[in-house]
Amino acid sequence: MNITLQVNGVPRAVDVDPRMSLLDLLRERLGLIGAKKGCDHGQCGACTVLIDGRRANACLALAVAVEGSEITTVEGLAHGDELHPLQAAFIEHDAFQCGYCTPGQLCSATGMLGEPGPSAVTDDVLVDPDLTPAEIRERMSGNLCRCGAYVNIVSAISSTVTGAAR
């Protein structure tokens, strides 16, 4: 099948097998290797990308299902030589060790900053809560870090929240 989509702002037309995952399309056909194949079951978050601005596990999305969508990978977060604020914060706060989960963490955090509403740890579900460290930990819980850099990841995200519009 031939599908068209925007990947990091670039229009792409690609022939794909209808069974191909978005992750395999990005990595194997388009050469965008930032999103990692961790578990291939949607449990680790290493493959997180943004589909039309919402975070999603690319290993669970079929490429044909995202026809016409805007896909943003970690490679598309920066603007030229200028790092995305979250990328700069991850460096400043040493929010990575081996770095394998970092692309998924960055895409997930980027999507999370635009997601309003309560979470499982919100006291008052009728309000849009502040992104406290507890809220950030809950909202990022789908992204695993086998090295245990969680404290620094939460710190990095927290440092960007004050300047981010939600």
Side-chain angles (χ1 to χ4, degrees):
M1 296 182 67
N2 191 285
I3 63 168
T4 58
L5 48 124
Q6 293 263 340
V7 180
N8 298 328
V10 177
R12 306 298 287 258
V14 188
D15 284 319
V16 297
D17 182 302
R19 300 166 295 180
M20 179 178 266
S21 71
L22 174 58
L23 179 60
D24 288 340
L25 170 65
L26 293 170
R27 292 182 59 79
E28 296 172 15
R29 301 292 298 283
L30 301 180
L32 298 169
I33 59 171
K36 302 295 190 252
K37 189 174 276 202
C39 67
D40 222 13
H41 296 305
Q43 296 175 347
C44 72
C47 66
T48 305
V49 297
L50 301 173
I51 301 174
D52 294 328
R54 295 187 55 92
R55 54 194 171 152
N57 291 332
C59 71
L60 296 180
L62 290 175
V64 296
V66 297
E67 162 83 28
S69 296
E70 170 66 37
I71 310 300
T72 305
T73 67
V74 70
E75 293 93 341
L77 292 181
H79 297 289
D81 290 338
E82 183 181 337
L83 293 177
H84 185 281
L86 280 166
Q87 290 172 313
F90 268 57
I91 293 169
E92 181 181 335
H93 291 266
D94 197 24
F96 50 88
Q97 287 181 30
C98 80
Y100 196 82
C101 72
T102 304
Q105 298 276 0
L106 286 164
C107 284
S108 187
T110 301
M112 178 201 66
L113 291 177
E115 294 171 1
S119 76
V121 299
T122 306
D123 290 329
D124 183 355
V125 297
L126 299 177
V127 299
D128 189 16
D130 292 332
L131 287 178
T132 63
E135 282 287 340
I136 292 169
R137 278 191 295 278
E138 171 63 23
R139 293 165 190 253
M140 292 294 293
S141 64
N143 290 81
L144 302 179
C145 174
R146 289 176 177 90
C147 299
Y150 296 114
V151 172
N152 294 353
I153 291 169
V154 171
S155 178
I157 296 168
S158 293
S159 76
T160 65
V161 168
T162 55
R166 283 187 19 133

